[in-house]
Amino acid sequence: MPKHPPLPVLAVAVAATLLLSGCVTVSTEGATATSVPTATPSPSVPDDMTMRVPPADWECGQLSALSGILYRSAWEHTEGLIDDAEYASRVAAVQDAWAYMPLGKSGVTPALREVQQAAPDGLTYDNVEYARAIDAANAACDAAGSIVGIGALPGQGG
């Protein structure tokens, strides 16, 4: 049986994806070089710096990533490649990712907000609200021109 990353590793990977997704921009305008070695100061943030609002394609990319994790994890669980505890930990990590995912103000944002609200009650089609919300979010991304894509593992046709 292959070894899979434990929940903390998976949680860090999801958090890193969210942090590295480009939600913050730092300007280096006006920075000057100095030849005198000095201690590294804390980076300063310009007064006019604000969080950028995630666009629809970023939001749909997050939907793709989280849906892909669930799809692949469910398949691995069904195939006996991960046990119940490993599967439950992945689902819990995705539920946390939904809970804390920053949303924008795009045309897909309302549909994703519905997914966020339904996710705590379960991430399967047994949760009717989640099923309706995830289908609506997929349709909203498609309508916005950002098709949701889910990658398959080897053995799943990937």
Side-chain angles (χ1 to χ4, degrees), residues 37-63:
T38 59
T40 306
S42 299
S44 61
V45 178
D47 291 335
D48 64 345
M49 175 145 166
T50 57
M51 290 286 287
R52 288 189 312 176
V53 175
D57 58 347
W58 183 90
E59 291 176 312
C60 294
Q62 295 306 303
L63 172 60

Side-chain angles (χ1 to χ4, degrees), residues 18 21-25 48-60 62 101-110 112-113:
L18 295 174
S21 62
C23 290
V24 178
T25 324
D48 64 345
M49 175 145 166
T50 57
M51 290 286 287
R52 288 189 312 176
V53 175
D57 58 347
W58 183 90
E59 291 176 312
C60 294
Q62 295 306 303
M101 184 173 94
L103 295 175
K105 297 177 184 174
S106 74
V108 303
T109 302
L112 293 175
R113 210 168 259 116

Side-chain angles (χ1 to χ4, degrees), residues 19-151:
L19 290 173
L20 296 175
S21 62
C23 290
V24 178
T25 324
V26 177
S27 173
T28 57
E29 185 176 317
T32 59
T34 178
S35 60
V36 177
T38 59
T40 306
S42 299
S44 61
V45 178
D47 291 335
D48 64 345
M49 175 145 166
T50 57
M51 290 286 287
R52 288 189 312 176
V53 175
D57 58 347
W58 183 90
E59 291 176 312
C60 294
Q62 295 306 303
L63 172 60
S64 293
L66 297 177
S67 295
I69 292 167
L70 285 177
Y71 172 75
R72 291 183 297 276
S73 296
W75 180 82
E76 288 178 314
H77 186 247
T78 300
E79 294 294 310
L81 300 173
I82 61 174
D83 63 24
D84 292 344
E86 289 171 310
Y87 178 67
S89 69
R90 290 184 190 187
V91 170
V94 172
Q95 284 175 309
D96 282 349
W98 272 115
Y100 299 107
M101 184 173 94
L103 295 175
K105 297 177 184 174
S106 74
V108 303
T109 302
L112 293 175
R113 210 168 259 116
E114 293 290 324
V115 176
Q116 278 186 323
Q117 292 171 354
D121 295 328
L123 301 177
T124 68
Y125 278 86
D126 292 338
N127 174 356
V128 175
E129 289 303 312
Y130 172 79
R132 183 195 57 74
I134 204 76
D135 288 346
N138 286 325
C141 285
D142 188 34
S146 186
I147 297 171
V148 173
I150 298 173

